[in-house]
Amino acid sequence: MSEPLLIARDLRRSFASGGRHVAALDGVSLTIASGETLGLVGVSGCGKSTLARVLTRLVTPESGDITFMGNDWLALGGGRLRAARRHMQMVFQDPLAAFNPRATVGGVIADALRIHAVVPGATRAAEVARLIDRVGLPSDLVRRSIRDISGGQRQRVAIARAVAVRPRLIILDEAVSALDVSVRGRILELLIDLQRETGVGYLFVSHDLAVVRAVSHRIAVMDAGRIVEEGLAAGVLAAPASDVLVRLIGAVPRLKGKPHA
Ligand SMILES: Nc1ncnc2c1ncn2[C@@H]1O[C@H](COP(=O)(O)OP(=O)(O)O)[C@@H](O)[C@H]1O
Ligand SMILES: [Mg+2]
């Protein structure tokens, strides 16, 4: 078997806030393979976003190590880091915070293509149009400003921008949590289709077990900075071993539908 795309070992990160010491990551290890979706669930405050931020190097861990595409990810710097960043993209819950609101939809995607020299300049506009179509947005959105489109449209633009650079891994932190159910369903289908086409891996972070269940091959359950349970989605959900997962399952209305193969 080939080496996983991402291997994280014993990540630790704490915060001091209001005189309290919080171990947001208390020794977290995980792997993600190409073409695989690892769902990460847990109640609010258990450390999911800290883990997402440590993996994308927005937050520095106190200890632990990360291997990404065979490289010592935490040791990379300079030009090699900039080049490697292309391959790990992140989509947040609130894409407005991640964009310049005055930028246009087309501008946001074109910038990503230009920065990473994904396609020759002469074909960039055509690639922007293709990506906008790929995420199910109307072509005339290209000239609209980020500020003037809906939350669901903005989240599609965020996904188009992430996908534009043809990354190996996309980390989605509550990326569909703010969307209404029908828009959410379409975005989840899109993510699954893109994975089948490109073999991209996903870390899919959500407090919502129903959403995680719909997309994940494997599921990891976090509680107070630790992964307390992990395994193939069907097995973990059929026989939850941790109190947290039992409670999360109890909170979800019975759902039909099964994770994709
Ligand atoms: N920048 C920060 N400063 C202080 N405390 C933080 C910071 N980021 C996260 N925390 C704390 O770390 C814990 C985990 O937070 P977070 O990773 O956001 O959890 P989740 O995404 O699961 O809701 C919480 O107690 C939170 O208050
Ligand atoms: Mg969070």
Side-chain angles (χ1 to χ4, degrees), residues 36-253:
E36 178 182 54
T37 301
L38 176 65
L40 181 69
V41 287
V43 298
S44 178
C46 72
K48 303 181 301 296
S49 291
T50 303
L51 178 57
R53 293 198 162 94
V54 164
L55 295 175
T56 47
R57 290 190 47 165
L58 295 171
V59 166
T60 310
E62 285 140 3
S63 64
D65 55 68
I66 301 170
T67 305
F68 177 55
M69 295 173 68
N71 292 310
D72 180 350
W73 179 234
L74 297 176
L76 280 188
R80 290 190 62 206
L81 175 61
R82 272 195 299 281
R85 273 200 188 284
R86 165 178 178 178
H87 293 294
M88 194 194 295
Q89 295 290 308
M90 184 157 172
V91 179
F92 299 89
Q93 174 165 5
D94 174 16
L96 198 51
F99 291 130
N100 169 0
R102 281 185 300 274
T104 63
V105 168
V108 159
I109 300 170
D111 278 354
L113 293 171
R114 182 179 49 75
I115 289 165
H116 293 290
V118 180
V119 292
T123 60
R124 203 177 291 140
E127 180 66 1
V128 169
R130 189 187 72 81
L131 286 158
I132 287 175
D133 179 62
R134 187 65 196 79
V135 297
L137 290 170
S139 59
D140 61 358
L141 221 70
V142 68
R143 268 181 282 279
R144 299 271 294 280
S145 93
I146 292 290
R147 194 172 38 198
D148 296 337
I149 61 177
S150 72
Q153 289 175 327
R154 222 175 268 144
Q155 201 55 288
R156 284 170 190 250
V157 176
I159 291 167
R161 176 173 67 173
V163 167
V165 299
R166 303 172 192 175
R168 302 286 306 278
L169 178 67
I170 304 180
I171 295 184
L172 301 116
D173 186 5
E174 305 282 3
V176 300
S177 303
L179 304 176
D180 71 51
V181 172
S182 67
V183 175
R184 177 188 299 170
R186 287 201 301 274
I187 291 185
L188 296 180
E189 281 169 22
L190 165 68
L191 290 172
I192 291 169
D193 287 348
L194 287 169
Q195 186 173 60
R196 289 202 177 112
E197 289 164 26
T198 66
V200 65
Y202 295 128
L203 177 65
F204 194 95
V205 179
S206 179
H207 68 282
D208 183 341
L209 186 62
V211 168
V212 166
R213 170 186 288 189
V215 295
S216 303
H217 300 101
R218 279 190 304 130
I219 291 180
V221 183
M222 247 183 118
D223 185 25
R226 293 166 175 268
I227 290 179
V228 293
E229 179 170 6
E230 203 232 295
L232 291 175
V236 164
L237 293 168
S242 63
D243 292 346
V244 195
L245 188 56
V246 169
R247 270 184 273 129
L248 285 170
I249 289 174
V252 176

